[in-house]
Amino acid sequence: MTVRGAPAIGASAAFGMALAAQNSDAASVDALIDDLRRAGDLLKAARPTAVNLAWAVDKLQDIADSGEFSSPDDLREILLAAAQQIADDDIRINSRMGALGAGLIADGATVLHHCNTGALATVDYGTALGVIRAAFEAGKDFHVLLDETRPRLQGSRLSAWELEQLGVSYDIIPDTAAGYYMQQGEVSIILVGADRVAANGDFANKIGTYQLAVMAQAHKIPFYTVAPTSTIDLSLSSGEQIPIELRDPAEVTTPYGNPIVPAHFKALNPAFDITPHRYLSGIVTENGIARAPYVESLRRAVAGEQV
Amino acid sequence: MTVRGAPAIGASAAFGMALAAQNSDAASVDALIDDLRRAGDLLKAARPTAVNLAWAVDKLQDIADSGEFSSPDDLREILLAAAQQIADDDIRINSRMGALGAGLIADGATVLHHCNTGALATVDYGTALGVIRAAFEAGKDFHVLLDETRPRLQGSRLSAWELEQLGVSYDIIPDTAAGYYMQQGEVSIILVGADRVAANGDFANKIGTYQLAVMAQAHKIPFYTVAPTSTIDLSLSSGEQIPIELRDPAEVTTPYGNPIVPAHFKALNPAFDITPHRYLSGIVTENGIARAPYVESLRRAVAGEQV
C-alpha cells in the first residue's frame, strides 16, 4: 500500500522490473532474464486485484524474452526505457480519457466520486478524477461529492487534497450519505475508477463501488468507470474470476494507528468488490467511451481501435 | 449527543421535565406549569429528528395541563412518577419487541444491523439489537454483521461492545462493504431502528439506512425496522415531513478529536435519512409486527391494538 491506484501500481511495477535488472549482477543475458523472472513473480504477488501490476510485469518480461540483446547492459537500458515509456504513456492516456470523459459532466452538475483516482493514483492527472479535472480545466461549473471511502479514507485524505489543490468545488461525505444525496436528486453522475475490467465489462474497484452502482440504477443516475485499456483483462470472461484482496481488519478497527475500538473487536475488510457490467452506462478508455455490449467494444478498445 | 438513541432520548426528556419541576422554585401550580412549558420548549429544541423527545415532553406537559393538583409538590411528585413509568415501560416494550421479532431470525442466519439500537440507545435491552439479543437468548445460532456507521461509528463503538458483552457472534464491516456481503448472498435479514415513523410507514433513521433499504430490495433481502409506538408520529402523513438534523462537518473530518484531514477541508454531515415504506418488510412494534398498508396497521398499533 506504499503505492496505490491501479495505474500507479502498473508504472511502479515496470520500474520495479527495470530496477531488478539494474540491481542484478548477472553476467549474461540469460542469467539476467532468470533474475527478471524471479523479480516479476515477487512483484506480482504484492497485490492480487489490480491487473496493471501483472500487465506491466508481463510487458517488460516479454521484451526480455523476445528481443535480441548484445549484452546484459543493453537489456538493462531497454527495460528502463520501456518502464519510462509506460509512465509517459500513462500521463498521455489519462489526459486523453479526461478529454473524452469531460463531455459527460454538464454545467451545473454534481458528480459523485469514490476512493481516489487522481494524480496520486496514477503517474499523473488521474482517471475518474482526471475526467473531473479536465472538465474543470475546460471551464465547466460543477460540484463534486467525495465519498470518504472507509476504511482507508482515500476520498477524504487524497481526493479532497487534490481538489483543494485544483480549486474544484467539493464536499466530503460519509459513505453512508451517498444514497441520501441520490434520493435528494443532488447527484447527476457517478464516476469511479477500476482495478480490473473483465472482457464482459464487469469490473473490480474499491469496496463500496458495487453499492453505488446498485443505487445509481435505482435512481436512474448515469454510472461510469474510467479505465485505461491497461486495466482491461480480456483473459477473464467475467468479474467472478477477479480475485478480491482481503486486507487486515486492523485497517477498520485502528485506522492509521488511531484505535476506534478495542483491539480484540472483530472486523472484516474486503478491499474491493465486483460491479456487474449491467450497472454501467459506459467505460471511458483512452480509445473512446466503450458501451454495451462490452465484449465487443472492449475487445476493439484493447486492440487500439476507436470505440 | 450525550444521550443518543430515540428511546433513551425519550426517557431522558421525561426525566428532564421531572427535574425541571424539582428545580423550579414556583410557589403555585400555575407558576410551575409555566416553568415546565419553558423547560419543554428548551428540551424539544435539542434534537429535531427523533420524535420520542417531543412525545415524552408532551406526555408530561399533558399531565401537568390536565390534572388537578393540591400543591406544586404534588405535581412534582406525579411528574417524577410519570417519568419513571416511561423508563419502566421502555424496558418492558423492548423486551416485548424482542420476543416478537426474534422469530424473524432463522437458525444459521446472518443479520445485518446499522448504528446502535441496543441497551445503550434505550433504557435497557434495545430495539433492533433487542431483537438480536432475544434471538440469542432463545438459543438461536446466527451471525451479525455490524455496519460501523460513519461518521460517529455507533456500530463499531457501541453495538460491537454490546454483542461482545452478550457473546453474540459478530463482525464489524465498513459501511462500504454492506452491498458486497449482500451480493455474496451472505445477508439473510436486515434489522434497523427508527428515530421517527410517519403514519404511512416512512421512517427516519441513522444516515445510511436508506441505502441499505435500496440494496435490500435489489437483493430481495427482508428489511425490518424495530420501533416502539412512541416512535410513531401519526401527525405526519409521510416521511417528507420529518426534519433531518444536519450536524457539524467536524464529526466527519475530525472523528472523536482525531483529525483525518486538515481542518479547512469541506464536508457535509446529514445525521439521518428517510426510508420510504415501500422498502419495508414490516415494522416490529410492541403490539405486533405491522405490515403494509401501514396507514392502517400503524394506526391500530398506536391505539394499543394487536396487529
Side-chain angles (χ1 to χ4, degrees):
Chain A
M1 288 296 292
T2 303
V3 179
R4 52 152 295 284
I9 288 171
S12 300
F15 281 112
M17 290 291 278
L19 199 60
Q22 302 290 329
N23 288 348
S24 159
D25 53 9
S28 72
V29 169
D30 283 351
L32 180 54
I33 289 176
D34 281 348
D35 283 354
L36 273 174
R37 204 172 312 278
R38 273 188 292 276
D41 289 346
L42 192 67
L43 283 164
K44 282 185 182 180
R47 303 287 303 275
T49 302
V51 73
N52 308 59
L53 174 57
W55 170 86
V57 167
D58 290 344
K59 196 150 180 168
L60 266 71
Q61 191 72 51
D62 283 350
I63 290 172
D65 289 344
S66 58
E68 294 286 328
F69 308 99
S70 57
S71 70
D73 275 349
D74 181 29
L75 175 52
R76 289 185 179 100
E77 201 171 307
I78 283 170
L79 290 172
L80 182 58
Q84 188 60 54
Q85 186 66 49
I86 284 176
D88 292 346
D89 283 352
D90 188 62
I91 301 173
R92 186 183 52 76
I93 285 167
N94 284 350
S95 168
R96 177 82 188 127
M97 292 191 297
L100 283 165
L104 299 172
I105 300 177
D107 260 315
T110 294
V111 183
L112 179 65
H113 177 269
H114 193 63
C115 197
N116 173 259
T117 63
L120 297 172
T122 58
V123 176
D124 200 4
Y125 208 77
T127 57
L129 220 56
V131 167
I132 287 167
R133 180 171 173 176
F136 179 73
E137 288 170 351
K140 291 202 180 170
D141 179 30
F142 59 95
H143 187 68
V144 182
L145 293 176
L146 295 173
D147 264 358
E148 65 172 9
T149 318
R150 279 283 286 152
R152 292 186 69 93
L153 301 162
Q154 293 94 336
S156 36
R157 294 173 76 101
L158 305 179
S159 294
W161 182 84
E162 290 199 40
L163 295 192
E164 280 279 342
Q165 301 302 307
L166 294 168
V168 176
S169 167
Y170 77 91
D171 281 297
I172 299 164
I173 60 170
D175 301 298
T176 47
Y180 171 80
Y181 285 106
M182 292 190 213
Q183 185 188 35
Q184 302 288 306
E186 291 184 27
V187 178
S188 320
I189 183 170
I190 301 174
L191 296 177
V192 299
D195 289 85
R196 190 183 311 209
V197 184
N200 70 344
D202 297 353
F203 71 106
N205 193 43
K206 180 57 51 201
I207 190 75
T209 301
Y210 168 67
Q211 61 193 47
L212 290 179
V214 171
M215 290 188 275
Q217 187 173 76
H219 295 88
K220 298 184 170 48
I221 297 167
F223 179 87
Y224 288 85
T225 180
V226 184
T229 54
S230 58
T231 306
I232 300 168
D233 184 355
L234 295 182
S235 76
L236 302 185
S237 60
S238 86
E240 287 166 31
Q241 296 160 277
I242 303 175
I244 296 294
E245 181 178 3
L246 296 172
R247 295 183 56 81
D248 188 344
E251 292 186 347
V252 178
T253 55
T254 310
Y256 295 95
N258 294 315
I260 55 180
V261 292
H264 67 282
F265 278 23
K266 290 170 279 294
L268 296 171
N269 185 20
F272 302 94
D273 58 28
I274 307 293
T275 300
H277 62 86
R278 66 189 171 89
Y279 292 102
L280 275 169
S281 306
I283 302 175
V284 181
T285 78
E286 72 272 28
N287 294 328
I289 302 179
R291 306 278 182 182
Y294 294 103
V295 170
E296 172 62 16
S297 57
L298 291 182
R299 190 189 53 73
R300 289 175 48 220
V302 170
E305 294 174 40
Q306 294 303 303
V307 295
Chain B
M1 289 296 294
T2 303
V3 180
R4 51 152 295 285
I9 289 171
S12 300
F15 281 112
M17 289 292 276
L19 198 59
Q22 302 290 332
N23 288 348
S24 161
D25 55 9
S28 72
V29 169
D30 283 352
L32 180 54
I33 289 176
D34 281 350
D35 283 354
L36 273 173
R37 204 172 312 278
R38 273 187 293 276
D41 289 346
L42 193 67
L43 283 165
K44 282 185 183 179
R47 302 288 302 275
T49 302
V51 73
N52 308 59
L53 174 57
W55 170 85
V57 167
D58 290 346
K59 197 150 181 168
L60 267 70
Q61 191 72 52
D62 283 351
I63 290 172
D65 289 345
S66 59
E68 295 286 328
F69 307 98
S70 57
S71 70
D73 275 348
D74 180 29
L75 175 52
R76 288 183 179 102
E77 201 172 306
I78 283 171
L79 289 173
L80 182 59
Q84 188 60 53
Q85 186 65 48
I86 284 177
D88 292 345
D89 283 351
D90 188 62
I91 301 174
R92 186 182 52 77
I93 286 167
N94 284 350
S95 168
R96 177 83 186 124
M97 292 191 297
L100 283 166
L104 299 171
I105 299 177
D107 260 314
T110 295
V111 183
L112 179 65
H113 176 270
H114 193 62
C115 197
N116 173 258
T117 64
L120 297 171
T122 58
V123 176
D124 199 5
Y125 208 78
T127 56
L129 220 55
V131 167
I132 287 167
R133 180 171 172 176
F136 179 72
E137 289 169 352
K140 291 201 181 172
D141 178 31
F142 59 96
H143 186 67
V144 182
L145 294 176
L146 295 173
D147 264 359
E148 64 172 8
T149 318
R150 278 283 286 151
R152 292 186 68 94
L153 300 163
Q154 293 94 337
S156 36
R157 295 172 75 100
L158 306 180
S159 295
W161 183 85
E162 291 200 39
L163 296 192
E164 279 279 343
Q165 301 302 306
L166 294 168
V168 176
S169 167
Y170 77 91
D171 281 297
I172 299 164
I173 60 170
D175 300 298
T176 46
Y180 170 80
Y181 286 106
M182 293 189 215
Q183 185 188 34
Q184 301 289 307
E186 292 185 26
V187 178
S188 320
I189 184 170
I190 301 174
L191 296 177
V192 299
D195 290 84
R196 192 184 308 211
V197 183
N200 69 345
D202 297 353
F203 71 105
N205 193 44
K206 180 57 50 201
I207 191 76
T209 301
Y210 168 67
Q211 61 193 47
L212 290 179
V214 171
M215 288 188 277
Q217 187 172 76
H219 295 89
K220 300 184 170 47
I221 296 167
F223 179 87
Y224 288 85
T225 180
V226 183
T229 54
S230 58
T231 306
I232 300 168
D233 184 354
L234 295 181
S235 77
L236 303 185
S237 61
S238 86
E240 287 168 29
Q241 296 160 278
I242 303 176
I244 296 293
E245 180 178 4
L246 295 172
R247 295 183 56 82
D248 188 344
E251 291 186 346
V252 178
T253 57
T254 310
Y256 295 94
N258 294 316
I260 54 180
V261 293
H264 67 280
F265 277 23
K266 291 172 279 296
L268 296 171
N269 185 19
F272 301 94
D273 57 29
I274 307 293
T275 300
H277 61 87
R278 66 189 171 88
Y279 291 102
L280 274 169
S281 306
I283 302 175
V284 180
T285 77
E286 72 272 26
N287 294 328
I289 302 178
R291 306 278 181 180
Y294 295 102
V295 170
E296 173 61 15
S297 59
L298 292 182
R299 189 188 55 70
R300 289 176 48 219
V302 171
E305 296 173 39
Q306 294 303 304
V307 296

